[in-house]
Every structure is written in structure tokens, then in C-alpha cells.
Amino acid sequence: MTRATATEAGAEKEKEKVGEKGKGEPSALRFRLVAVLKCSAELNEDAVAELRKFVSACNEGLLKRGAPAGCGAEIVSFKVLNGNIELEIHSDRFVRAHDALLRFRKNLAPILGKYRIGLRGIDVKKYEIEMESQGLKLKTLPFVKSISYSDGNIVISLDLTESDLERRIPDRILRLLEEKREAARWGGKKEHWELLFESKHKEFFFNKDPTEEMLRRGWIRHGSARGQWIYGPQVTRLFRAFEKILLEEVCYPLGYEEMIFPKVVSWDVWKRSGHARAIYPEAYYVCVPKTRDPEYWEDIADYFKVTGEIPTEKIMERIENIGGLCYAQCPPFWVFLQRRVLADECLPICIFDRSGTSHRYESGGIHGIERVDEFHRVELVFIGTKEQVIEHAQRLRERYRLVFDKILDIEWREAWVTPWFMAQEGRAGVASQKEVGTIDFEGFLPYNGKWLEFQNVSINGDKYPKSFGVKLQSGRELWSGCSGVGLERWTAVFLAQKGFDPENWPDAFRKFVGELPEEVFKFV
């Protein structure tokens, strides 16, 4: 009898049952994987016999390693056919099926090596993950062939390769499912909100939309792009006054130094910062030409010269995306420290940037100057040990309170909300540590009775130092925080409450503003 014939008569037959499916399964998370290990040669009877013993041993030990008693993974059946080994693995959350398969492959290689047989690769024929849906409703996911629901559970069927298993794609899909399930439990709520402080009621001198009044007075005018304003001399003077207050009453007393952060942000930065998780509907994308060769672009230029129209469809074929315009001001700064080691003696570090605009596609939510696509901010970043960052955030809040009460004399409040980086990454809820999070400052708008978030202070924990590989010389944990000052929103809140007559503005504020410019433009 030849070796092939012997194999077919023995192990290369119906699936050999190795264990009971689902035995010892304590978790609502279940995995079912069918994979084929491709061998360099057919297995003879001795090799099959040793394989059978090895499978049994794996079910008793290797595939249970690290799991509680009665838990782990199990090869519920296997067969050998045409030089391949097909396995069906069931598992729970403690040893996931793909981990079990990779463990099995690693330890099988030296056994087959005794028979001069190598492993050439893995084909994934079937991989299903079942978990409680808990209200989660999905239509599609990356690497997913199908999604079904049954008895309160969701079953996803994955389309994976060997490389995908090694890249831990199933684990990443599971994390994504958990995030989506958590969001479903929050009922779509974007932010947690908890009132911390509310100022005294202040006297209001205006009850209209300040944007409409600025338009009427000719202080502002819509730009050519959506969500964009051109600010005249009067509003610009207010912006500069707010900046001066911020610098003299907040930044300089707390030891801040000015830097200039990039305003074109590469995808690598957004991958590290976490914005690549959810930024796509709101980003302003930046593209560059595939080449500067004039001949490559000559027909585009000629088309415009002849028609007076720009062929945007043709242009889109000749550019490549490299990232986007500044969305959140501080992430691109971290490249300055990336993979560097800071000396403890330079902490705490306090810096700020006011060098350019930020951009977000606000969809249908555009309103006035306070909710726009192009806006002006001053970004404060503070870095130190955990204790230094927490202490500095408190000092920063105190300086802001002084400004809002003593200089601007506005009505405002503070609220503990979902950390800004979680909100921008599409994650709901609150931070796991109470020290990490965002405090929003909200100003009252008399004309509509609503509150507008116009300022924040955030403690980001070790998120950015870890993401960008920044360490301390002493090995201590490095933390950071940030605070974004929106000039449009400061202006909107102030004018909504104090109006346009400088006589009604606090004396302390008028010292920073000086006299507003006279009418510069006269139209006929």
C-alpha cells in the first residue's frame, strides 16, 4: 500500500471528533474558526498518528494556557487530506481561536520537521465571532463578509488571511465592536455632561444674535468658502484684545512660551493622536500634485483657458492625499518631541500656539461666527508629571475664572464632559480616571437662552506621550494637558451679553481694546 493510499485509508477520512463543541464555555463571546495548514508534503501514517496525539495534548494544555480552569480553546475536529491539515477550533474570550491556531502552528512545526515536512501557510476557510448584541445594530464592518442576529446575539463572519491573523485583525475588530456596543448603550449620546460651577448672574445689555448685528454694521462678511468669515477692523480689534488678555493674564503669569505648530497635518499624526478613528466626515483634506511636470498639467490649464471652468474631476485624478488641515491644534506639535527623552529638570513645560486657523467641516450645524468651518484659536499645551499636570490645570482654571469674572464680567459655567480626544475619536462616555478629562467653559447667550461652549481645559493623561514615544529621563510617567481658546466664541459670548456699545463694556476690558476703529470702508 502506498503512503498516499495508507493516509486516505486512515486519517484522511471523515473528520475525527476530538472534543465536544462549546464544552466549558462560560462567556457570551464565542469564536469558531476553520483553517487549513498547508504542508510541503503529504503526511504518512506515523506523522498522522503523532499529529493525533499532539492535538489531544494541545486540547489538554497548550490551548488552555493562561485561561481559568475549564476555559480556553479546543480543536473540536481535524482531518488530513492531500497534504493539508484542516482544523476546526472553538474558543471563548480567554484564548481566542486565532491565538490558539497560531500557538498550534508554532508548536507543530518541529513535530512535522522530524518527517521532513514544512508548513507553507494558512488558509482561513471560516471565522465566526458571536457576542451579545446589547442593542448594537450593524450593516457592515471591515473584513466582515456577513452579519446576522439571533436570540439577542450578533454573529459576524470574517474574511481573513494568514497575514490578517498575525496582524491581530480579529482583536481590533472586537475592540471596534465593543466601542460600538458601548456607544449603543449610551443611546447615541455624544458627551457626558456634569455641572461643576456656575457664576453669578450678570447684567445683559443685548438680546439679539451678535452675528446678525455685525453683518448689519458691516463688521463681517461671508468669505467665498463655506463656514468662513472675513473679519473687518472692529472684530479684528476684539480678537486681538482677547489674545492680549489671554497672554497677559493667563499665559505669561503661568510661564508659557510661544511656538508655531504646523497647520497641515499628515496621516501619521492623526493615526498616533487617535483622530484617524473618526475624523473623516469633518476633515478638510490636503492633497498635493502627483508631479510638478508642467506637461502633466497642460491640458488642465488649457481647458480653463478655453472654457473659463476648472475641471475638478480631472484634477482629482492627478493629486494624492497626504492628510488634512489643522483640526485639533495640539497633535502636530508632538512630532517635535517624538521618540525623544526629556530631562526631568525642564518640567513642567508650558507652550502655546496662535499661528493660524483650524478647520472642521461642520455639516448642517453652521451658525453665526461661533460655529464655522474656519476658526481662530489659541492652543495652550502643558507637559509634566501627573502631579504637575493636575496642579497646573487647576491653576489654569483659576486664571480663566479671573478673566471671565473680573475683566469680561460675563455669565458662565463649568462642566465636566467627555474628554475632548474621546469625543473627536467617536467614543462616548467618560474617562476611566477622574483626573483625566475635559472641563468645558460655557457662556450664556441671552438672545436664545442657550449656553455656548467657548473654552476648555483638558488633562489628557499619558495619551500623547505614549502615542508619540516621549519619555522622561527618570522613567517616571509623563502626562500632558491642553486648553483651546476660540476667539470667535469668546467674541460671540461677550457681544451677546454686553452688546455693541462700548459704554456698557467693563472698564477692565476697554483698557485692552482701546478705541474701536472708525468706519474704514464706505460704499455707494
Side-chain angles (χ1 to χ4, degrees), residues 109-318:
I111 294 175
L112 295 182
K114 293 188 298 183
Y115 301 93
R116 297 191 177 183
I117 298 174
L119 293 174
R120 290 179 169 173
I122 298 175
D123 283 339
V124 181
K125 296 181 65 175
K126 175 183 176 181
Y127 198 173
E128 291 183 346
I129 300 176
E130 182 175 356
M131 64 191 297
E132 294 179 0
S133 62
Q134 297 182 5
L136 182 63
K137 294 295 182 182
L138 299 170
K139 292 183 179 179
T140 183
L141 283 173
F143 299 95
V144 171
K145 290 190 293 187
S146 64
I147 301 173
S148 61
Y149 298 87
S150 177
D151 298 326
N153 286 354
I154 180 173
V155 180
I156 63 171
S157 178
L158 304 179
D159 184 10
L160 301 172
T161 66
E162 178 181 2
S163 174
D164 296 332
L165 297 181
E166 292 172 340
R167 291 164 54 207
R168 324 303 300 178
I169 293 298
D171 297 319
R172 296 181 183 184
I173 290 174
L174 278 171
R175 285 197 293 271
L176 178 60
L177 286 168
E178 283 296 333
E179 290 172 10
K180 290 181 178 293
R181 197 164 63 173
E182 178 68 16
R185 280 199 291 267
W186 276 72
K189 185 176 180 180
K190 293 296 184 184
E191 280 201 353
H192 170 80
W193 189 94
E194 176 187 340
L195 182 65
L196 299 179
F197 172 83
E198 193 164 359
S199 71
K200 295 179 181 178
H201 177 68
K202 301 297 175 70
E203 184 178 5
F204 303 139
F205 297 94
F206 199 64
N207 61 0
K208 297 178 182 178
D209 184 339
T211 298
E212 295 299 324
E213 180 64 17
M214 283 187 282
L215 279 167
R216 189 188 69 79
R217 290 170 175 253
W219 286 14
I220 60 175
R221 193 174 184 189
H222 284 289
S224 62
R226 76 182 302 279
Q228 178 190 66
W229 292 95
I230 303 171
Y231 297 102
Q234 297 86 354
V235 182
T236 302
R237 177 69 62 86
L238 291 177
F239 279 12
R240 296 296 174 250
F242 289 133
E243 279 189 356
K244 190 175 181 181
I245 292 170
L246 180 68
L247 297 183
E248 295 187 6
E249 300 296 332
V250 179
C251 292
Y252 296 153
L254 294 181
Y256 278 80
E257 295 289 346
E258 186 170 7
M259 291 185 67
I260 296 177
F261 300 168
K263 297 300 176 287
V264 173
V265 185
S266 72
W267 281 115
D268 182 65
V269 168
W270 278 340
K271 284 166 63 177
R272 292 178 179 274
S273 71
H275 286 88
R277 299 166 60 91
I279 196 175
Y280 309 101
E282 297 181 328
Y284 264 77
Y285 296 96
V286 171
C287 299
V288 297
K290 291 181 178 179
T291 175
R292 283 197 60 184
D293 182 358
E295 291 185 6
Y296 186 75
W297 294 95
E298 185 174 3
D299 62 321
I300 301 287
D302 290 346
Y303 185 88
F304 174 77
K305 293 172 185 176
V306 172
T307 67
E309 301 292 335
I310 298 174
T312 54
E313 297 84 0
K314 293 183 178 180
I315 293 176
M316 294 298 291
E317 298 171 357
R318 307 182 194 199

Side-chain angles (χ1 to χ4, degrees), residues 389-406:
V389 167
I390 292 173
E391 188 270 339
H392 184 85
Q394 182 58 37
R395 292 178 62 198
L396 194 54
R397 289 171 64 190
E398 291 169 358
R399 299 303 299 185
Y400 283 137
R401 287 183 176 187
L402 183 150
V403 169
F404 302 151
D405 269 340
K406 304 301 182 183

Side-chain angles (χ1 to χ4, degrees), residues 281-454:
E282 297 181 328
Y284 264 77
Y285 296 96
V286 171
C287 299
V288 297
K290 291 181 178 179
T291 175
R292 283 197 60 184
D293 182 358
E295 291 185 6
Y296 186 75
W297 294 95
E298 185 174 3
D299 62 321
I300 301 287
D302 290 346
Y303 185 88
F304 174 77
K305 293 172 185 176
V306 172
T307 67
E309 301 292 335
I310 298 174
T312 54
E313 297 84 0
K314 293 183 178 180
I315 293 176
M316 294 298 291
E317 298 171 357
R318 307 182 194 199
I319 58 179
E320 55 187 18
N321 177 251
I322 61 168
L325 292 177
C326 173
Y327 176 89
Q329 227 163 321
C330 64
F333 150 75
W334 285 93
V335 177
F336 190 81
L337 303 181
Q338 190 170 342
R339 295 187 295 273
R340 307 288 295 273
V341 178
L342 288 171
D344 291 60
E345 63 190 43
C346 71
L347 301 182
I349 297 170
C350 299
I351 55 173
F352 71 94
D353 167 66
R354 53 170 173 165
S355 61
T357 53
S358 296
H359 300 259
R360 296 180 196 170
Y361 189 83
E362 291 284 4
S363 186
I366 290 176
H367 179 269
I369 67 166
E370 67 269 19
R371 191 170 179 83
V372 291
D373 283 16
E374 179 180 285
F375 51 98
H376 301 76
R377 295 201 320 160
V378 182
E379 182 82 354
L380 282 62
V381 178
F382 44 101
I383 305 166
T385 64
K386 174 181 177 180
E387 295 76 17
Q388 288 172 331
V389 167
I390 292 173
E391 188 270 339
H392 184 85
Q394 182 58 37
R395 292 178 62 198
L396 194 54
R397 289 171 64 190
E398 291 169 358
R399 299 303 299 185
Y400 283 137
R401 287 183 176 187
L402 183 150
V403 169
F404 302 151
D405 269 340
K406 304 301 182 183
I407 299 178
L408 302 185
D409 191 36
I410 58 174
E411 186 169 328
W412 57 281
R413 67 187 185 187
E414 295 179 22
W416 178 264
V417 301
T418 300
W420 71 274
F421 57 83
M422 288 177 61
Q424 292 182 4
E425 292 170 19
R427 298 153 63 190
V430 294
S432 58
Q433 300 170 277
K434 189 63 176 178
E435 297 107 329
V436 176
T438 294
I439 293 175
D440 275 352
F441 294 78
E442 301 177 350
F444 187 69
L445 303 177
Y447 74 93
N448 64 10
K450 296 180 180 180
W451 293 84
L452 175 68
E453 184 266 307
F454 69 102

Side-chain angles (χ1 to χ4, degrees), residues 1 3-16 45 48 52 79-80:
M1 184 179 291
R3 183 172 63 183
T5 307
T7 306
E8 291 172 3
E12 293 184 352
K13 55 183 180 180
E14 284 290 314
K15 286 185 178 181
E16 298 200 32
E45 290 182 351
V48 171
R52 189 178 298 114
K79 66 180 179 180
V80 179

